[in-house]
Amino acid sequence: MTKQERATRTRDALIKSAAREFDQHGYTLAKLSAISAGAGVSPGALHFHFDNKAAIATAVESEATTALRRTARIVYRQGSNALQNLADTSHSLARLLREDIVVRAGFRLSCSRGSRTDLNLRQEWQSCVQQRLAEAADEGLLAAGHGGQQDVVRTVVASTVGLEALCRDNDEWLSPDTVTSLWRTLLPMLAAPGTLAGLEPAGSSTVPAPRAHAPVG
């Protein structure tokens, strides 16, 4: 293993350890000593890669952002209609939040009031929902009489973000069954009658599973 490979491996281990610490204790209570110990490296090695706790938190947010945006792009390229794409994207993102500690911690850090960057992944999700629903309207997929488009955006965002918040106490809130139940409720209210029969609340079978953050080791 080259020196550069060892440095990359150590940095990845620190990011993953920091994500566990932030996820369990939050940013304020997370300790650098616990992060270095969790990564199996010395405090000096941590400070070689990151100047302080804010720097490593920023790295966790950045890794999460990359993973979430990549997943959204992969799902979008599948070519399904806009409503199906929205449901598929939510399933893929929910799986990442369930299974990838770096994504979960980074998402929550980016949405906190004390975020150290301009990132806010919750706002990015709102923009994604708004774009997909605008596409659905252009495609003639939305039912008439459901109110203004912004009302629909708020309903979808509040419902999906609410699952992420509830998941902090109970993982089942982001389970496939729960996300499917959400879309089983929402789609009949959103979709035009001729569209509903072709939609899958459980997600399209053509959508690949999202790639989790590469494991260390």
Side-chain angles (χ1 to χ4, degrees):
M1 186 183 298
T2 67
K3 184 176 181 180
Q4 183 176 356
E5 288 172 335
R6 285 196 299 272
T8 299
R9 188 184 179 111
T10 298
R11 186 179 187 277
D12 287 345
L14 285 165
I15 288 173
K16 193 167 185 178
S17 178
R20 285 194 296 267
E21 184 73 5
F22 294 139
D23 189 57
Q24 292 173 10
H25 304 293
Y27 177 80
T28 301
L29 297 180
K31 298 183 181 299
L32 290 177
S33 58
I35 292 172
S36 59
V41 302
S42 68
L46 184 152
H47 286 290
F48 174 80
H49 290 277
F50 302 102
D51 290 337
N52 48 40
K53 186 163 65 172
I56 196 167
T58 298
V60 172
E61 290 181 40
S62 178
E63 291 284 341
T65 300
T66 298
L68 289 166
R69 288 174 177 171
R70 180 179 62 238
T71 296
R73 286 195 301 270
I74 290 171
V75 176
Y76 189 71
R77 290 173 187 151
Q78 300 307 305
S80 57
N81 70 53
L83 278 180
Q84 186 64 62
N85 182 269
L86 185 56
D88 290 347
T89 303
S90 72
H91 275 282
S92 293
L93 299 186
R95 181 170 177 176
L96 271 179
L97 289 166
R98 286 195 314 271
E99 299 180 357
D100 190 321
I101 187 66
V102 175
V103 170
R104 186 164 63 249
F107 184 89
R108 292 172 183 175
L109 284 169
S110 81
C111 299
S112 65
R113 287 187 177 181
S115 176
R116 289 137 299 282
T117 70
D118 293 332
L119 290 170
N120 187 317
L121 292 172
R122 196 171 291 151
Q123 289 180 358
E124 287 204 18
W125 171 239
Q126 180 173 339
S127 296
C128 178
V129 171
Q130 191 160 359
Q131 180 180 344
R132 297 297 177 271
L133 288 174
E135 292 169 0
D138 290 342
E139 294 171 20
L141 303 175
L142 297 181
H146 54 58
Q149 190 170 307
Q150 278 304 114
D151 291 340
V152 179
V153 171
R154 292 188 189 101
T155 299
V156 174
V157 171
S159 301
T160 50
V161 169
L163 295 184
E164 186 277 327
L166 290 166
C167 182
R168 300 182 189 192
D169 296 320
N170 185 342
D171 289 346
E172 283 301 307
W173 284 105
L174 278 179
S175 70
D177 286 346
T178 302
V179 179
T180 297
S181 295
L182 173 66
W183 285 111
R184 196 174 286 127
T185 301
L186 289 176
L187 287 175
M189 295 187 291
L190 298 177
T195 302
L196 184 59
L199 299 175
E200 293 290 343
S204 171
S205 59
T206 63
V207 176
R211 186 179 69 186
H213 186 79
V216 176

